[in-house]
Amino acid sequence: MKAIRPLGRTLLRDRAYASIRDAIVAGEIEPGAVVRDAELAERLGLSRAPVREAFTRLVDEGLLESKPQSYTRVTQVVAADVRDAAAVVGAMHELVTRVAVPRLFAADIEMMRAANERFAAAVTAGDVDEALHADDALHDVLVRVSGNRAAAATTARYTPLIRRLERRRFGEGGNCRSAGLHDRLIAACAAGDVDEAVRVTAEIWRGLAELADSD
């Protein structure tokens, strides 16, 4: 029974973090809502310690705000924060795209195409969860192939701030033109055109920054 063992403290902390982060991004825990470690620990089936550690990380990443001895609550969606996050995440994606394009195999291109097909279908169906998952899957191909762990970590840290605004816009009936931009990105990747792939990547993330400006 070597494969079955108690979960380590780090895994519990990460599990709590991912669960709470996803609930905030999905709007299940709304902006301004007060969160309590005891309540969330019970819902997650964990002790309070890993939930508190998750709270600390989420405060650092801008999804929670805390006043000692008073409250911990979900932050509001602030346009300036989203714009800053989009600038940072966009820069990381430009970096990994420049590195990854010469390293891509045919199988990687097919993964990107399949992800974009799922993305376009989800946008048409109004399926926010699937659209964002597919979008992540497409761009994650380039992140993975680049092998840049620092860029991957930075992207993972700041993308949730952007996703909250994207989700709200989907819910308000906003449209999305990223599927066409994805087509252009994939074509550039398939052709090995690094400069064009980077230009399209910049356009994609510039559009997200503009989304924040129009909020």
Side-chain angles (χ1 to χ4, degrees):
M1 302 292 287
K2 290 183 179 179
I4 300 177
R5 63 192 65 180
L7 290 176
R9 183 179 182 83
T10 298
L11 289 178
L12 292 175
R13 178 195 64 203
D14 291 345
R15 174 185 163 192
Y17 163 78
S19 296
I20 300 167
R21 178 203 63 200
D22 291 348
I24 292 171
V25 172
E28 295 172 12
I29 308 177
E30 297 181 350
V34 173
V35 292
R36 297 177 176 84
D37 55 5
E39 178 184 332
L40 287 176
E42 182 177 358
R43 289 172 60 185
L44 291 169
L46 300 173
S47 69
R48 294 170 68 176
V51 173
R52 287 176 184 151
E53 292 179 43
F55 279 7
T56 299
R57 184 172 172 185
L58 290 162
V59 167
D60 185 52
E61 295 181 1
L63 291 175
L64 292 178
E65 58 185 357
S66 181
K67 183 178 180 181
Q69 310 302 320
S70 182
Y71 61 77
T72 299
R73 66 189 178 195
V74 178
T75 58
Q76 299 294 329
V77 179
V78 178
D81 293 341
V82 176
R83 184 169 57 250
D84 290 347
V88 171
V89 173
M92 292 299 99
H93 278 290
E94 288 179 48
L95 172 64
V96 300
T97 297
R98 187 171 296 281
V99 174
V101 170
R103 302 178 181 179
L104 292 169
F105 290 102
D108 297 316
I109 300 296
E110 287 308 309
M111 288 180 65
M112 294 175 72
R113 288 197 177 107
N116 198 35
E117 289 173 5
R118 296 196 305 273
F119 176 83
V123 170
T124 299
D127 187 338
V128 181
D129 286 329
E130 177 58 24
L132 295 181
H133 288 155
D135 185 66
D136 284 338
L138 187 155
H139 292 288
D140 283 350
V141 172
L142 296 169
V143 175
R144 171 179 56 79
V145 172
S146 77
N148 191 321
R149 289 187 293 178
T154 302
T155 299
R157 173 174 179 170
Y158 290 106
T159 296
L161 288 172
I162 304 167
R163 291 308 195 205
R164 285 210 293 170
L165 180 57
E166 288 183 282
R167 276 183 163 279
R168 190 167 78 190
R169 285 305 173 86
F170 267 116
E172 293 170 351
N175 59 8
C176 181
R177 61 191 183 95
S178 290
L181 289 173
H182 288 164
D183 284 335
R184 287 174 50 199
L185 173 61
I186 294 166
C189 289
D193 189 338
V194 174
D195 290 340
E196 175 63 9
V198 172
R199 277 194 294 270
V200 177
T201 298
E203 187 174 347
I204 290 170
W205 292 96
R206 185 165 58 248
L208 289 174
E210 291 170 356
L211 187 69
D213 287 333
S214 64
D215 190 49

